[in-house]
Amino acid sequence: MSMSTRAAICRRPGTPWEITDVELDDPRGGEVRIRFEAAGLCHSDDHIQKGDARMRFPVVGGHEGAGVVEAVGPGVTRVAVGDHVVCSFIPACGTCRYCSTARQNLCDAGKNAATGEFPDGTFRFHLDGEDLGGLCVLGTFAQRAVVSEFSCISIPDDIPFDVAALVGCGVPTGWGSAVHAAGVRAGQTVVVYGAGGVGSNAVQGARYAGAKNVVVVDPVAFKRDMAKVFGATHTFADAQAAHEFVVETTWGELADHAIITVGVLHDEVIANALAIVGKTGQVTITAVGNGSIDAGAGTFIGYQRRVQGAIFGGCNPLYDVPRLLGLYRSGDLKLDELITRRYRLDEVNQGYQDMLDGKNVRGVIVHEH
Ligand SMILES: NC(=O)c1ccc[n+]([C@@H]2O[C@H](COP(=O)([O-])OP(=O)(O)OC[C@H]3O[C@@H](n4cnc5c(N)ncnc54)[C@H](O)[C@@H]3O)[C@@H](O)[C@H]2O)c1
Ligand SMILES: [Zn+2]
Ligand SMILES: [Zn+2]
């Protein structure tokens, strides 16, 4: 048995998102069917669509989403029909080496993120006889998708779906980049490069962890204004101005942390970040792109600097997703303010254009059923 569902797909790198009906198989063992209610427009889907990140095509877009479990396959225990869920863009099997040592963001079950195929080599989306993978084996730009139960985290029924969707990627990625991957501590100076959907949450995480100075670099005035709402203490349009400020405010000691969350990673932002951190300073790279580190070993030795890559902000989705929603409830984490605009599924290309034009902290697709 299969059903039809509407989805935004990308057939080849460089072609726009196309809204079409695709065939969706029933859930098999360990899988669930979700009716997605909301999906976030993360920059990573745009990397896939542009062809500058690796992915199998054609692909059903979207790796940030929330919805309701509609059907479960055999043996599913983690969620039940009717549960409201957030989909984590990295699954957490719970038992692999990384899950069992509190590093669920590195779960071995995440290995098919760039193909969208299930562990047995099959796909649940089809179109005209062709298989389609969902981005991160999700596909939240579909009204309905079949996903692994390992990708699902049950949430309380009263959390709005649009804010919940963002806790599938952008919020934990940014917040965790500051709190887990960087390990920001009280009184520190933190510089965040790029205050979009991810960076705004790095700002919130850094502030909540107790940073004294949360310095934001973003060329877009609207992003800098919003960064203040999320807890930035100082904002700058360019890296040079931020550098001068940090030198002055730290009396030359420089920053403790630089966190890179720009839309497209490039060499220059890495060089700027390395130059702005002082002794034992750390650069945390969360942004995706073709940037490379062009620095002699001396950059790292004398000052004991470090560079740390971060996937999913080093979060443990099974713990951090409910925890972040708890912080939202208690007023310690701003989620409503992240959503600048809401779109219908057939407006997805406009949503991405608005992101690239600097108009949104985060755009969200609200699915119609
Ligand atoms: N590592 C992970 O787990 C992970 C997860 C999600 C997203 N990402 C990546 O994180 C990055 C950010 O994603 P997003 O959804 O927040 O994107 P976004 O487009 O919403 O935000 C990017 C921000 O960077 C700003 N910017 C652009 N160039 C800049 C520069 N030179 N200096 C300072 N700011 C600059 C933009 O104005 C924008 O505000 C993307 O590369 C995305 O693919 C990584
Ligand atoms: Zn994402
Ligand atoms: Zn695992």
Side-chain angles (χ1 to χ4, degrees), residues 8-93:
I9 71 165
C10 184
R11 290 183 189 265
R12 288 183 305 283
T15 61
W17 296 105
E18 179 185 330
I19 314 304
T20 186
D21 289 325
V22 296
E23 239 180 275
L24 179 65
D25 296 338
D26 284 344
R28 300 186 187 176
E31 299 169 9
V32 307
R33 189 175 72 230
I34 295 179
R35 185 182 75 235
F36 281 117
E37 297 291 342
L41 299 177
C42 176
H43 203 119
S44 297
D45 299 79
D46 194 62
H47 284 300
I48 301 292
Q49 184 268 331
K50 298 253 181 323
D52 57 33
R54 197 171 53 90
M55 186 72 208
R56 177 192 178 279
F57 285 83
V59 60
V60 176
H63 63 281
E64 199 178 78
V68 181
V69 176
E70 255 188 358
V72 299
V76 167
T77 56
R78 212 179 267 182
V79 292
V81 170
D83 280 8
H84 291 202
V85 293
V86 164
C87 282
S88 163
F89 85 87
I90 309 258
C93 76

Side-chain angles (χ1 to χ4, degrees), residues 176-185 188 209 257 282 284:
S177 291
V179 173
H180 298 305
V184 170
R185 302 186 60 176
Q188 291 189 324
H257 287 282
Q282 180 174 314
T284 300

Side-chain angles (χ1 to χ4, degrees), residues 152-167:
C152 298
I153 296 141
S154 293
I155 61 166
D157 289 358
D158 62 332
I159 303 277
F161 287 111
D162 49 9
V163 296
L166 306 188
V167 185

Side-chain angles (χ1 to χ4, degrees), residues 41-44 47 63 89 169 173 193-199 217-220 223 261-266 269 285-289 310-313 355 360-362:
L41 299 177
C42 176
H43 203 119
S44 297
H47 284 300
H63 63 281
F89 85 87
C169 175
T173 296
Y193 294 88
V198 173
V217 182
D218 199 298
V220 179
K223 304 297 181 86
T261 49
V262 296
V264 183
L265 185 66
H266 53 279
V269 70
I285 304 182
T286 295
V288 173
I311 182 86
F312 209 98
M355 178 194 80
N360 293 344
V361 176
R362 203 45 132 206

